[in-house]
Structures are given as C-alpha cells and as structure tokens.
Amino acid sequence: MRAATLAELQEKGQLLVRLNQQPVALFYSNDRVYAIDNRCPHMGFPLHGSVCKDGIVTCPWHYARFDLASGGTFDSWADDVRSFPVQIQNGEIWVDVAPLNNLKGHHQQRLQDGLEQGISLVIAKSVIALLDLGVAPTEAFQLGLSFGTRYNKTGWDTGLTMLTCMMNLLPYLDEGDRPRALYQGLSAVARDSAEAPPHFRVHPLPTTNLNFVTLKAWFRQFIEQRGREAAERCLVTAIELGISRTQIAEMLFAAATDHRYLDVGHVLDFINKALEALDATDWQEAESVLASLVSVLANATRMEEASSWRYPVDLVTILEGAFEQLPAVLEAGKSHSEEWVQPPEFMSVLLGEDAQAIANHLLEALRSGCTEAQLAQIVTYAAALRVARFHTNNDHGDWNSAHHPFTFANAVQQGIRRVPSVELLRGVFDAAMSVYLNRFLNVPPARLPDAKDTVANPEVLLEKLPDLLDRQQQVNETGRLVAQYLYSGGNPKALMAMLAKLMLRENRDFHVIQSMDAAFRLYSQLVDPAERAPVLVAAARYLAAHAPTMRSQEQTYQMAYRLHRGDRLFEDTEPDVNAE
C-alpha cells in the first residue's frame, strides 16, 4: 500500500500513517526507509516521535529498544515490534502490511520466552493469540507443564497445581475466559520456576528383570527413608519398563498414605493434580512430570509428628487400629455390594466430636457394602460442609484450616476413582480425621441458606454477584445469593461460569483456585440437588472471603487483550491517510 512520498519523509524524518487500519510509523535513518507498527508491543505506547539513532528506535515510555530493520527488541520484556517490508517506486513509499506467516510458531516461542523470563504480559499476549488462532489449549498447557517440571526448586509445587486446576476448569468457563485462566496458571508456573536450576534426569536401573510388586515396595521403602534419588530411580525404572498408568498411580498413592496427612494434605493433592495433568496430555513426558513429585513425597511433614494428631486424642492410634481391619471389612462388604444405604446419622457423626465413632462408622459402612468411591465422596462432602458452615467470627486465617481437608478429600476421592486400592483408602480415614480436627470452626455453625428462600427471576441474582464481590466481608451475603439462585431454579452451569469469572479477575490465590476446582468436581459428581447446592455455597463463600484483591494481574491481562485486539491505547484516533 502507498504510504507517503519519500521527499515528505526525508523532510520530517518520521511519519505516522494508517494503512488498512494498521498504524505504521515510518522512519528515515542513514539514507534508508523503515516501517514498523506504531504501537510499542510492551504496552501500546506510540513509537512515532521516538528517538531514532544508529538504526535503533527507543520507546519514550519504558525505554524499550528495537532494531528498526527487523523489529527485534533488545529488551525481552517488551516483545518484538512488527516491521514491514518497504519498496520505493517513483519517489513513493510502498509498505507491505499483509498478515504474517507462521504466527503459531512465533507465539509459541514467545510463550516459552515469557515463561523463561517470568514476564506475565508476554505470557498473556501469547496465550490470547494462540487460542485466537484455534490452537488447542492443551498445547499451551503442555508447554507450561514441561517447563515447570524441568525448572523447579522443590519439585511439583503450587504453580503447576494452579495450572492444572485451570485446565480442569476450562470446560466450565465462558469461551472468553479460557485464555485468562491459562494465563493465570502459566504465570504461576513462571513465578515458581524463576531462577530455578534445571532438574537433571535420573536414569532407570540397567535391568528389565523387575516386576511391579518389587518396584512398589522399594519405592515406598526409599520414601520412608526420605531417599529422594533412590525413590526417583525406582519410579523412572517403572515408567521405562512399561508399568501401567494405574500401577504407577498406585505406587505414588501408597507412599503418600504410608504416613498421615502429609504436609496438611498438599502432597496427595499434588500427586492427584500431576496425574490429572498427564491425563490432559495423554501422558506425554510422564517421566519428568512424575519425577517432580519425588522430592515432595520424601521431604513432607508427617502429621503423626504433630501434637494435634496425638493429643488430647491419639488419632494415629485410632487410625492404625482401623487400618488393620480394612482387608476384613472390604472382604465382608463384597457380599453386600449395592445394598448399602447411607444411615441418617452418618453425616452428623462425621461432623461430630467423637473420633473413634467416626472411624467405626467408616468401617461399618465398608462392611455393609459401601464402596471405596462412595465413602470417599461422602467424606469429601462433609469437608465441603465445614467450609459452607464456616462462621465469620473465626480468625480469617482459619479459612485455610477449613480448606485443606476439603481439597485433600477431593484428591483422595479422585484418586480412588482411578485406583481403588486399600492403601489409598487410608486417605479417606485421614480426611475424616482432618475434618474432625476442624470441628471448632463450626461452633457455632453458619446457618445454611433455606431452600424455601426463592425468587421469581434468579438471573437477576446472578447479575448482582459481581458487585457483591467488589466489597469486603460479603461472605454470608454471597452464600445466600448463590443458594437462592440455585433453589430458585437458576442454571448451575451459568453460576459456575460466573464464579470462575469472578475468581479469575482477582489476583490468583492458590487456595481459592484449589477450592473452586474441587467444588466444581464434587458438584458435578453429586446427584441429589439438596446436597449439591451447599457445595457451590462453600466455594462462593471461600471466594468472597478472599475478595476483592488489587486485581493487578487482571490489569496486565486486559492490556494484553487490548493489544491483541488492535486497540489504539495511547493514540489519537485518525483516519487512514495516503492509503490506496
């Protein structure tokens, strides 16, 4: 497209033109014509008027420097600016503004750069562009998973967990929120990996003459001894020998439940999330992903070492006695399969003050035909009720005390759906005891909203929810609104999409993201409407307790979105000039 005359540019040194709605900055330097996008790729400030010297143009806002010929930046946080091919014909400047080729490869590389440099704006722009090109979200997720397990200080951590939670939440989100979710998860991975050394691969044992039983026993032994390297070698050997995915999961879950409630539940949750991440990528790079779990397992705090699990009630002794009975009660339960009906008092016992009675009721349920998966779901629901009934008179830090049993129980439940092993079944009992330990958080219990409290038009309630979460201390009001919406016949999918949207606009919080993922999963697996509503009430109340935040991360995302959309963020609006 014709941009200007050469004489005009030579006279002024710089010109701003618009060609097919594309703002182009023309520069004349060292007897050569250059054309670049007028918007600085960092934050959209106009480059027209910038200092141009020695073939380098410098943005006057944050002083990002660019090679005029190629558009390449000398400051990685700014991204490259697009340069346009130029031809001079009969004293006129013609500029080629046709779309670029291989945009996918460019944005994938920029995403990698953003992860390596820890630049959230670059991550956001890359994810937005990739999804807009129709690239599957799993590709960006896989890149982040590979990077995060390669570069980490302590193994699998909160960033990779948040990224996997975001991947789990994608089906519940409005389409426009999906890149926002990936941006939040990938930025969390970049934060955890900042300045971390690479993890060097431990090679498998030089043998093929090993079976699963031996490797599983060795792995548990080395984790017991806190021998990270030895345990990792067992794990990668199992992968190399083609041990099944189910058996690999069984190894990990067995080691994670040989001791009580490791790291207040985080270890088992991390294992579950790593397995879910592998499911999303068809177990690509399974070795590096699973190896990242070993140091987490080997270095974990074991709750039998904590006084709260020993005094005034010795919960560990109660649990060890229950574990000894598991093989017998499971065998007895086989003759009563599909006969078990949950007793009316069962939930009250789980939420009650008698730890021995809780263990006895869990054993009796299994003996009477309750399946491992059913029992895990019931305990997860009890943990959710702790959050739904959390009284706001408690200390704000106690929200985490209510949260940890819920996400731990969810991880156990999802694990048992994958591997219904007797070792992992111990995790159900651990979860029940962690719920027991938090009984004081419901004294007095916050009253659950009344199912009879309904309105004629529930969609009006959904419209009020964003404003409600713009204010602090709206926990009870938020819970009531969510329950009222559901009891009035509101669409649960619309509610979950809205709750996730409101979570994503806040600065990311590990526990909030965990809680939302667990609540959506449990809600989707429950059948009884009367049971389902308190689960989303719990998620909404927890979100409300941690909102509003500064929302600076959303501001970064909005900047990236507007740059991608082509908004003229800091330019005066002018029509195309000299375009033919």
Side-chain angles (χ1 to χ4, degrees):
M1 303 184 72
R2 180 188 176 280
T5 66
L6 179 59
E8 184 182 7
L9 180 60
Q10 288 174 327
E11 178 187 352
K12 296 182 178 180
Q14 297 183 20
L15 288 174
L16 173 62
V17 297
R18 301 194 192 280
L19 306 176
N20 196 23
Q21 299 302 312
Q22 170 68 55
V24 177
L26 299 175
F27 292 88
Y28 187 77
S29 178
N30 298 329
D31 299 323
R32 184 173 172 183
V33 176
Y34 301 95
I36 60 173
D37 189 332
N38 187 49
R39 295 165 301 183
C40 176
H42 178 217
M43 295 184 70
F45 199 78
L47 292 174
H48 174 252
S50 302
V51 174
C52 174
K53 182 180 180 181
D54 299 327
I56 296 175
V57 64
T58 302
C59 177
W61 196 0
H62 297 99
Y63 304 102
R65 298 159 297 174
F66 306 92
D67 167 30
L68 271 174
S70 68
T73 183
F74 297 99
D75 303 286
S76 60
W77 43 265
D79 207 347
D80 294 341
V81 67
R82 184 180 175 188
S83 65
F84 302 99
V86 174
Q87 291 183 6
I88 309 299
Q89 298 178 8
N90 300 322
E92 294 183 329
I93 301 170
W94 292 76
V95 178
D96 183 359
V97 292
L100 292 172
N101 295 321
N102 194 26
L103 284 172
K104 176 182 175 182
H106 169 75
H107 292 302
Q108 285 177 326
Q109 181 58 55
R110 290 305 290 154
L111 177 54
Q112 181 73 30
D113 295 341
L115 289 167
E116 292 173 356
Q117 299 293 327
I119 307 170
S120 294
L121 182 63
V122 173
I123 292 171
K125 289 196 291 184
S126 303
V127 170
I128 292 168
L130 286 169
L131 267 61
D132 193 44
L133 288 171
V135 176
T138 49
E139 293 195 32
F141 173 74
Q142 173 68 57
L143 200 155
L145 183 64
S146 177
F147 180 82
T149 53
R150 171 67 172 159
Y151 298 97
N152 60 76
K153 300 181 182 74
T154 57
W156 186 284
D157 209 338
T158 58
L160 287 164
T161 299
M162 284 190 275
L163 176 61
T164 307
C165 286
M166 292 302 187
M167 195 66 187
N168 291 342
L169 290 170
L170 288 189
Y172 300 98
L173 302 181
D174 294 336
E175 185 176 354
D177 287 327
R178 291 171 187 171
R180 182 181 277 104
L182 286 173
Y183 148 73
Q184 287 279 19
L186 289 164
S187 296
V189 169
R191 179 205 62 195
D192 280 2
S193 298
E195 301 181 0
H199 175 78
F200 294 107
R201 181 174 185 260
V202 174
H203 294 279
L205 294 167
T207 179
T208 58
N209 191 28
L210 284 172
N211 58 36
F212 166 66
V213 173
T214 300
L215 286 168
K216 177 182 175 182
W218 285 354
F219 182 74
R220 294 171 71 179
Q221 173 187 328
F222 293 134
I223 292 297
E224 175 69 29
Q225 298 166 354
R226 301 190 184 274
R228 183 200 61 77
E229 185 177 6
E232 185 174 339
R233 196 163 201 194
C234 284
L235 186 58
V236 299
T237 300
I239 297 168
E240 181 74 15
L241 294 178
I243 300 297
S244 73
R245 297 175 181 182
T246 299
Q247 289 175 319
I248 295 292
E250 184 179 328
M251 284 177 63
L252 291 163
F253 284 133
T257 51
D258 281 339
H259 291 277
R260 313 280 58 81
Y261 201 47
L262 297 181
D263 280 348
V264 293
H266 284 140
V267 171
L268 200 140
D269 185 56
F270 287 178
I271 293 172
N272 181 60
K273 282 293 171 282
L275 294 171
E276 290 176 349
L278 288 176
D279 290 342
T281 60
D282 196 25
W283 281 61
Q284 296 182 51
E285 301 186 45
E287 184 177 308
S288 62
V289 172
L290 297 176
S292 70
L293 295 167
V294 177
S295 62
V296 176
L297 270 165
N299 298 324
T301 300
R302 299 164 178 177
M303 283 299 106
E304 58 264 41
E305 301 166 352
S307 61
S308 59
W309 283 67
R310 292 288 191 178
Y311 183 84
V313 178
D314 192 339
L315 301 181
V316 177
T317 298
I318 292 174
L319 289 172
E320 288 173 347
F323 297 159
E324 291 176 1
Q325 301 179 56
L326 284 179
V329 299
L330 288 171
E331 185 62 31
K334 291 179 180 178
S335 61
H336 302 286
S337 60
E338 300 184 6
E339 295 179 6
W340 185 76
V341 177
Q342 181 175 330
E345 76 282 359
F346 197 51
M347 190 57 62
S348 297
V349 172
L350 289 180
L351 295 172
E353 299 187 7
D354 189 335
Q356 186 64 62
I358 292 170
N360 293 342
H361 272 69
L362 295 175
L363 290 169
E364 182 57 34
L366 293 168
R367 186 182 291 110
S368 302
C370 177
T371 67
E372 296 94 320
Q374 284 177 309
L375 195 64
Q377 181 169 289
I378 291 168
V379 173
T380 304
Y381 183 70
L385 287 180
R386 277 278 187 253
V387 183
R389 295 174 175 174
F390 182 95
H391 202 287
T392 52
N393 285 341
N394 290 308
D395 183 81
H396 188 270
D398 285 332
W399 277 105
N400 288 341
S401 300
H403 158 85
H404 286 133
F406 176 44
T407 51
F408 173 77
N410 169 69
V412 173
Q413 181 190 353
Q414 306 316 318
I416 279 183
R417 290 166 64 91
R418 184 190 300 270
V419 186
S421 67
V422 66
E423 292 99 345
L424 184 51
L425 186 56
R426 297 176 299 186
V428 176
F429 285 72
D430 287 348
M433 291 303 154
S434 67
V435 172
Y436 159 80
L437 283 171
N438 290 331
R439 61 198 181 279
F440 68 92
L441 298 177
N442 294 159
V443 180
R447 191 169 65 87
L448 289 174
D450 191 338
K452 297 178 181 179
D453 184 11
T454 61
V455 297
N457 184 7
E459 299 312 312
V460 174
L461 296 174
L462 206 58
E463 294 171 1
K464 294 179 179 179
L465 194 54
D467 291 339
L468 197 58
L469 292 182
D470 280 336
R471 306 192 300 274
Q472 293 181 338
Q473 300 180 354
Q474 300 301 304
V475 171
N476 294 327
E477 293 80 357
T478 299
R480 179 175 179 271
L481 185 150
V482 166
Q484 196 175 35
Y485 176 82
L486 291 171
Y487 292 144
S488 300
N491 184 349
K493 291 182 179 179
L495 174 60
M496 288 190 282
M498 176 59 76
L499 287 173
K501 182 188 294 291
L502 298 177
M503 176 192 75
L504 291 171
R505 72 176 180 174
E506 305 296 342
N507 285 352
R508 58 184 170 271
D509 181 289
F510 171 51
H511 289 149
V512 171
I513 294 168
Q514 272 188 309
S515 179
M516 199 69 68
D517 176 36
F520 285 14
R521 184 69 64 92
L522 178 59
Y523 183 89
S524 300
Q525 292 169 350
L526 290 170
V527 177
D528 185 351
E531 287 188 333
R532 299 179 89 188
V535 175
L536 294 187
V537 168
R541 295 182 86 242
Y542 195 85
L543 173 61
H546 297 83
T549 62
M550 291 290 291
R551 300 177 182 171
S552 57
Q553 292 157 1
E554 172 64 9
Q555 184 179 16
T556 299
Y557 180 84
Q558 286 296 332
M559 180 68 69
Y561 177 73
R562 294 173 66 189
L563 285 169
H564 173 76
R565 195 172 58 184
D567 288 3
R568 302 169 188 171
L569 302 182
F570 303 99
E571 298 180 39
D572 293 331
T573 302
E574 298 177 3
D576 280 21
V577 295
N578 296 325
E580 295 180 4

